[in-house]
Amino acid sequence: MTASSSKRVWLIRHAQASFGSADYDVLSARGHEQSERLAAWLVSHPELNFAHVVRGTLRRHKETLAAIERAFTSAKREFPASAEDANWNEFDYEAIVRAYASSRDDDLVSAASNDPTNRRAVHALLAAALREWALGQLDGVGETWQAFGARVAAARQRVLSATPGKILVISSAGPIAQCAQAALGCDAERTVALNIALRNTAISEFRVGHGWDMQIWNMLPHLASPADREVVTYY
């Protein structure tokens, strides 16, 4: 594939879900605000014409994309019907954390267990658990790091056969970080760090030809002013 025929893929992480609630997969009130702000920014740029749209099958993917679809409809701009691909879904982070916590009793587990609303403690626990999972040091997790990477690779391959033009994908932090790994050739630990750093509704752009080339990472143009800091989230 030549440079002139390469595709641009915009990978967007879903808006904030309901962290700490009975159903994490539902967008929070802040998540809905983030998705509306993202949608308004996208539709305000006439050069952003998407030829193909795909999302994971999770509710948080669907609700994030719904705001974008409404904005394009309101602006009377064309927007293609979305395709679903479960390979863009997130790994089972709850199973990974359970497997990590069941095999040790350390400060990370205690801090997060004693106060599940402490996002820094939960962040530290998740980072440690993901590193051990990625390095193959956790038992009792149904999907291995390698199997997760393989299904995301299958999702990337389907993107290559999509309609020519700019492609929009609504997904989660884990699959987007896997795409960064494919582009950068980084190891599993660095990929976990990229995963943990990805913000809700962040835009990452890749140029896809013979391989994946990362152009933009973790951008929030719709939440760029100092006043927007309260709206920026990681979970």
Side-chain angles (χ1 to χ4, degrees):
M1 186 177 289
T2 65
S4 61
S5 63
S6 64
K7 299 176 181 178
R8 296 282 176 162
V9 181
W10 276 38
L11 281 163
I12 297 181
R13 188 188 176 200
H14 62 81
Q16 185 189 51
S18 297
F19 176 82
S21 72
D23 187 358
Y24 170 75
D25 203 23
V26 178
L27 290 191
S28 67
R30 182 166 291 173
H32 282 291
E33 180 183 355
Q34 291 168 344
S35 62
E36 295 290 345
R37 296 274 291 276
L38 168 67
W41 185 87
L42 290 171
V43 83
S44 71
H45 287 74
E47 74 279 9
L48 293 180
N49 293 307
F50 297 103
H52 183 68
V53 178
V54 62
R55 63 171 173 83
T57 63
L58 300 175
R59 180 170 176 175
R60 54 191 182 271
H61 301 155
K62 183 177 181 179
E63 291 184 343
T64 301
L65 180 57
I68 300 170
E69 291 170 333
R70 288 193 300 270
F72 273 76
T73 298
S74 256
K76 295 182 170 48
R77 287 188 55 189
E78 290 187 12
F79 194 79
S82 63
E84 288 187 353
D85 185 350
N87 284 331
W88 286 112
N89 288 357
E90 188 63 284
F91 50 73
D92 187 348
Y93 78 92
E94 291 180 333
I96 293 167
V97 170
R98 280 196 305 269
Y100 179 90
S102 68
S103 62
R104 59 192 45 74
D105 182 16
D106 57 20
D107 291 341
L108 290 178
V109 174
S110 298
S113 299
N114 292 336
D115 184 7
T117 64
N118 184 335
R119 291 175 183 265
R120 289 193 177 185
V122 172
H123 176 100
L125 173 59
L126 181 59
L130 288 180
R131 286 189 194 101
E132 293 216 354
W133 175 57
L135 294 174
Q137 297 172 355
L138 281 186
D139 296 323
V141 179
E143 184 176 45
T144 65
W145 173 263
Q146 290 74 21
F148 173 60
R151 71 170 167 88
V152 177
R156 290 200 306 271
Q157 187 59 39
R158 288 194 188 98
V159 163
L160 289 177
S161 62
T163 306
K166 193 181 291 290
I167 299 165
L168 175 67
V169 180
I170 306 296
S171 183
S172 293
I176 298 171
Q178 285 283 330
C179 294
Q181 183 182 37
L184 301 175
C186 53
D187 62 18
E189 288 189 83
R190 179 58 181 156
T191 305
V192 168
L194 290 169
N195 181 341
I196 294 294
L198 202 62
R199 300 171 292 185
N200 293 112
T201 64
I203 299 166
S204 299
E205 184 185 50
F206 295 81
R207 186 177 65 217
V208 182
H210 292 293
W212 283 62
D213 181 20
M214 189 162 72
Q215 305 291 297
I216 295 169
W217 177 253
N218 207 12
M219 179 177 70
L220 289 174
H222 51 292
L223 300 174
S225 76
D228 293 326
R229 288 178 183 173
E230 294 290 325
V231 190
V232 176
T233 59
Y234 295 82
Y235 300 105

